[in-house]
Amino acid sequence: MSEGIGARVLRKEDKRFITGKGRYTDDIIEPNQAYAAFVRSPHAHAKVNGIDASAALAMDGVVDVLNGHQLTGDGIGNIICGWGVTSKDGTPMNMGAWSALATDTVRYVGDAVAVVIADSKEIAKLAAESVVVDYETLPVVVGSVEALADGAPQIHENAPGNLIFDWEIGNKEPTDAALASAEHIVEMDIVNNRLAPNPMEPRSAIATFNESEDHYTLYTTSQNPHVARLVLSAFYNVAPEHKLRVIAPDVGGGFGSKIYIYPEEITCLWASMKTNRSVKWTSDRTEAFLTDAHGRDHVTHATMGLDKNHKIVGLKVNTKANLGAYMSLFSSATPTYLYATLLSGQYNIENVYADVQGVYTNTVPVDAYRGAGRPEASFVMERMMETAARQLGVDPAELRLKNFVKEFPHQTPVIMAYDSGDFAANQKQAMDAADYKGFEKRRAEAAKRGKLRGIGFSNYIEACGIAPSAAVGSLGAGVGLWESAEVRVNPVGTIEILTGSHSHGQGHETTFTQIVAERFGLPTENISIVHGDTDKVQFGMGTYGSRSGAVGMSAIVKAMDKVEAKVKKIGAHVLEASEDDIIIEDGAVKVKGTDKQMLWHEVGLAAYTAHNIPEGMEPGLKESAFYDPSNFTFPAGCYICEVEVDPETGVTKIIQFTASDDFGTIINPMIVEGQVHGGLAQGIGQAMFEGVVYDPDGQQLSASYMDYCMPRADDVPMYQVMHQSTECPGNPLGMKGCGEAGAIGSPPAVINAITDAIGNNNLNMPATPSAVWAALQEASKQAAE
Ligand code: MCN
């Protein structure tokens, strides 16, 4: 089947995207549309003593100026965090309140205190600048370590010492004992830098309250419109669920940052009801830096023990996770369930213990960003591994090989049950492709040119799919994370797939049709995807955690099973054969071993005309299914990075990057490679270029592309991307997620390579030329002493 599973089908959606025909939220124009501009705090921490909006209200074209007291007065609820994390001492999270518009206190630069609604965007922005807010500044703290220190400014009344939770996982006493008796100890302080998500399309929302129908519509840049509707109605009381339609049309990237319901969506909906106008807001880039949820920001101390045979006997990790000024949907889950549960990496380690403190600071809220917790875990483990190899004077590849999990299923001491994998095979494939054996020769040749060449490994594992619902629920999530699908065969035989997954760059319109094409032997052009609209798709959990393949497509498989069963019954009836003899292939329903057949569209027609179907059968051909996976999926791989450093300037060039991944069954290799390429660019960005920087007053010094450096095309090499797969036993297609792997696995490979080149292991991300140069100076100073 040329367009089925494994085919490099070109992305159907690209026709409209690359010809400028995509329809994004900001492209939607409603009649009688007004524009919102937010009045944002210029202070990182302040009391709000009053708001004077009289000048703004007097301006021509200003419809209204609304504030937090009005919002809470109308019963609009606080923004919630959807995952409970219980502290070591059994207490629940100390959660501060987050109102979509602040009332008495602002807690980060960008915190919204009021919104101006006006006839044009320009008037709204101008008017917002004329709103006078009486702020009384308060002391500020931006780092998690500082926020936990005695005497730090108190950010939320009910989170004493700024501690949201102090959570633990693993076996503490046995880990302590294993470390005490270990032959070798490796100890490191590791910082995982704060990142801004930077999707190509900034966040946007347009809300319409239709008074005559008592109905709300919200177009928004969401990765999960159904969850948005649920949360907006059930928790924020903005509109009853059955009277609210949420549509996420084309979305230009999200990387996790569009999972959450932000203050702006809540405010636009509420303001639409207040003003009886459609209300539109689209973020600009500076606003995006100031308000899109950031990612990472961990400060970690890790200790690893090895025995005399270099087997790891224990791992102990303490992490302080900066969660910013407020907690949003996934924020508590990211540094706990999605991080510490993967700290043992690809290795068979009997004793692992981690404790994590979630901390409030006067910074932008931190939540999931591509990988969410898993890049932080793989960075800790893979930096520790490389450091251990260097301290022991052994080959890093050999040390990993010795410690790999080799038998599956494998239960780790930190909850996860790895179901499949062949880590040694991925490592071998990557080593062969990267010509690891020939590296020392290349290093010597580079030295002759005055360059420092280095090589670094990263053997990552991640947990995708986020499942099953019972387990996710027991971890404190408000909802289980299953997925839904409906397969509609139309009377003419074309097929529409309604899915709860949401494509915002991942190519679902292509890959989802491929599995249907494969099953029924139809061309993909006869199959289309319906998604992103709560009025069209019954319910869905959306796209994040690389779950749409393994979970979303599995729901489609389940629905196709039901369609197939009905088609066989109709085929057997019409063709006067036994159901057992009916096969479906090449777009036809056939009787095995005969030339009797019905074409696919004839089956569709039969189902809807309904005069020649089995007695008692319901007319129509449409089935739905809900799929709840039995486990996470565990994509894994080996990444090898080779760099050259100019010792005069610290400028680092990636010469070669080799990735061998295990994604189970691959539906579309081209799309999967694209996903890996994108993830690698983001991981390399984190390792070498990107970082949100705050000054001590809580002002972002990196809130524009002048200061926040994204990787450009010439910063990344032509990757060598390859696969060595083991089938996932947990879902019908055998798939594992691929959407985050590149971002998870690449940062440690890059830093391991650079530190290998410069001979100094003490290097934080981003490894900018000045950071690398400083580390080189430190190394030569140490050598001279
Ligand atoms: N696929 C496949 N074979 C596999 C696994 C996946 O062919 N074995 C295909 C899938 O059918 C899908 C794509 O690869 O078309 C990605 O699938 P999957 O790994 O299931 O990830 P999701 O579709 O759930 O996407 C989420 C993931 C995440 S969590 C982030 S963050 C991310 C990412 O996808 N954000 C992205 N990739 C992104 N790509 C773009 N362009 N923009 C983003 O915002």
Side-chain angles (χ1 to χ4, degrees), residues 11 199 223 251-257 369-371 374 464 501-512 514 542-551 553 663-669 671-672 675 682 734-740:
R11 297 197 345 158
Q223 299 177 214
V251 174
F255 310 112
S257 70
Y369 167 62
R370 203 169 192 170
R374 293 152 290 166
C464 292
S501 301
H502 185 276
S503 191
H504 44 280
Q506 294 87 349
H508 295 176
E509 288 173 45
T510 308
T511 51
F512 282 26
Q514 284 182 254
T543 288
Y544 38 82
S546 302
R547 65 192 301 274
S548 309
V551 188
M553 286 169 116
F663 297 136
T665 307
I666 289 176
I667 306 303
N668 185 326
I671 283 179
V672 167
Q675 286 292 308
Q682 282 178 305
M735 294 174 74
K736 306 178 187 183
C738 71
E740 296 158 290

Side-chain angles (χ1 to χ4, degrees), residues 24 50 115 207 293 416 478 513 611 674:
Y24 298 90
V115 64
M416 290 299 174
T513 58
H611 53 73

Side-chain angles (χ1 to χ4, degrees), residues 11-24 249-251 503 509 531:
R11 297 197 345 158
K12 288 172 149 218
E13 46 270 77
D14 282 350
K15 189 172 171 200
R16 68 176 190 281
F17 290 152
I18 63 180
T19 55
K21 303 275 178 359
R23 190 163 176 259
Y24 298 90
D250 285 332
V251 174
S503 191
E509 288 173 45
H531 73 144

Side-chain angles (χ1 to χ4, degrees), residues 302-556:
T303 312
M304 188 161 91
L306 299 98
D307 69 14
K308 61 179 186 322
N309 299 317
H310 300 166
K311 283 278 298 165
I312 305 169
V313 293
L315 175 72
K316 191 172 181 180
V317 174
N318 168 260
T319 293
K320 293 173 178 52
N322 188 337
L323 296 181
Y326 301 103
M327 296 190 68
S328 62
L329 213 58
F330 271 98
S331 56
S332 57
T334 301
T336 52
Y337 312 129
L338 296 173
Y339 163 71
T341 54
L342 286 157
L343 278 167
S344 58
Q346 296 188 358
Y347 311 106
N348 188 355
I349 311 175
E350 213 168 297
N351 304 296
V352 180
Y353 173 78
D355 65 342
V356 179
Q357 286 83 48
V359 188
Y360 277 126
T361 62
N362 294 117
T363 61
V364 175
V366 176
D367 211 310
Y369 167 62
R370 203 169 192 170
R374 293 152 290 166
E376 296 90 314
S378 99
F379 195 72
V380 168
M381 180 35 105
E382 292 306 299
R383 287 290 289 131
M384 295 292 282
M385 240 11 220
E386 204 83 2
T387 304
R390 285 173 194 168
Q391 290 182 2
L392 295 167
V394 299
D395 183 328
E398 285 298 318
L399 185 64
R400 287 176 166 91
L401 199 57
K402 186 169 279 176
N403 284 283
F404 279 148
V405 170
K406 296 185 182 86
E407 281 171 21
F408 298 89
H410 172 82
Q411 179 64 56
T412 74
V414 278
I415 292 186
M416 290 299 174
Y418 300 163
D419 59 4
S420 58
D422 187 345
F423 307 143
N426 287 112
Q427 181 165 289
K428 180 168 183 334
Q429 189 183 44
M431 284 167 72
D432 289 347
D435 183 24
Y436 183 62
K437 284 194 188 123
F439 172 71
E440 287 306 332
K441 217 166 132 194
R442 296 195 293 280
R443 196 200 298 262
E445 182 276 326
K448 283 188 204 148
R449 290 184 280 111
K451 294 285 187 328
L452 302 169
R453 194 143 172 147
I455 196 162
F457 278 70
S458 165
N459 291 51
Y460 78 92
I461 186 161
E462 52 166 325
C464 292
I466 316 192
S469 293
V472 172
S474 71
L475 291 177
V479 286
L481 293 179
W482 42 265
E483 197 46 88
S484 77
E486 187 176 310
V487 174
R488 280 189 194 162
V489 183
N490 297 321
V492 291
T494 54
I495 298 182
E496 286 161 276
I497 306 163
L498 283 69
T499 169
S501 301
H502 185 276
S503 191
H504 44 280
Q506 294 87 349
H508 295 176
E509 288 173 45
T510 308
T511 51
F512 282 26
T513 58
Q514 284 182 254
I515 59 165
V516 183
E518 168 98 14
R519 173 70 83 97
F520 300 128
L522 298 169
T524 54
E525 66 178 24
N526 287 7
I527 307 157
S528 61
I529 302 292
V530 179
H531 73 144
D533 184 340
T534 58
D535 266 14
K536 291 184 180 165
V537 178
Q538 191 212 339
F539 201 95
M541 289 297 173
T543 288
Y544 38 82
S546 302
R547 65 192 301 274
S548 309
V551 188
M553 286 169 116
S554 295
I556 297 171

